Amino acid sequence: MTQWWAGLNQRERRILIIGAIVVSIALIYLLLVEPFVTQVKELDASVSEQTELLQWMQVSEQQVAMSRAKTGSGKSVAAGGGSLLALVDQTAKRSKLGDAIKRVEPEGGQGVRLWLEQASFDNILLWLAKIKQSDGVEVSRISIEQPDSPGIVNARVSLQRGGQ
């Protein structure tokens, strides 16, 4: 190796040294810096998601505390004054839509957004009519898609209490 190095002229040696430095810098970047930067970006995104979740949980905690204060106990409130999230979940399950519920989340301070998949169209309509009549819950937005099966739909529903 030493003989080979000694056999190179000055210009070739400089090119090899510069090339080794460039390759070393590239390896340091690819093995150390780039994974660190990627991890920081992922953690930043995770922090944002967790912050949103915390805010939602704090709002829900306040709603639960207010509900408990209204009833004077830890038991759930009657349909007119309870949490809309709980009401929607309970009534949907009673209307044979429990398995179709894929996601329920608060929408703003007064609403609930609900995702239903592979649900009976008739059951959805009956359920929406029932909660409007008995609990004053109204549909603010609805989107319904029909997959291949007749009578079965995927729906995105936004609900709000009537007077709010």
Side-chain angles (χ1 to χ4, degrees), residues 82-118:
S83 163
L84 185 56
L85 280 170
L87 175 70
V88 166
D89 187 54
Q90 291 170 0
T91 57
K93 287 179 180 174
R94 275 188 258 141
S95 296
K96 301 176 185 174
L97 295 171
D99 292 338
I101 297 173
K102 298 303 175 195
R103 188 170 167 193
V104 179
E105 67 182 33
E107 182 176 50
Q110 306 294 326
V112 171
R113 191 177 314 145
L114 182 74
W115 283 258
L116 299 156
E117 292 183 7
Q118 300 296 310

Side-chain angles (χ1 to χ4, degrees), residues 28-96:
I28 289 171
Y29 177 78
L30 291 173
L31 296 176
L32 298 176
V33 176
E34 198 272 333
F36 178 74
V37 169
T38 302
Q39 183 69 22
V40 168
K41 287 179 182 177
E42 289 173 0
L43 289 173
D44 189 37
S46 176
V47 166
S48 296
E49 291 174 10
Q50 295 299 321
T51 301
E52 288 177 16
L53 179 60
L54 175 63
Q55 290 171 349
W56 176 80
M57 292 174 94
Q58 289 171 338
V59 168
S60 296
E61 178 185 32
Q62 291 170 356
Q63 290 175 346
V64 168
M66 289 172 38
S67 294
R68 287 183 178 166
K70 286 181 184 177
T71 62
S73 71
K75 296 182 180 176
S76 63
V77 182
S83 163
L84 185 56
L85 280 170
L87 175 70
V88 166
D89 187 54
Q90 291 170 0
T91 57
K93 287 179 180 174
R94 275 188 258 141
S95 296
K96 301 176 185 174

Side-chain angles (χ1 to χ4, degrees), residues 107 112-114 138-142 156-160:
E107 182 176 50
V112 171
R113 191 177 314 145
L114 182 74
E138 297 180 356
V139 175
S140 59
R141 275 183 306 216
I142 189 166
R156 308 294 176 260
V157 184
S158 294
L159 303 169
Q160 290 185 332

Side-chain angles (χ1 to χ4, degrees), residues 117-146:
E117 292 183 7
Q118 300 296 310
S120 165
F121 180 73
D122 293 338
N123 287 350
I124 292 173
L125 289 182
L126 290 172
W127 170 63
L128 291 173
K130 186 184 296 183
I131 62 172
K132 178 171 176 43
Q133 183 180 26
S134 64
D135 302 301
V137 176
E138 297 180 356
V139 175
S140 59
R141 275 183 306 216
I142 189 166
S143 170
I144 298 175
E145 300 171 356
Q146 181 181 9

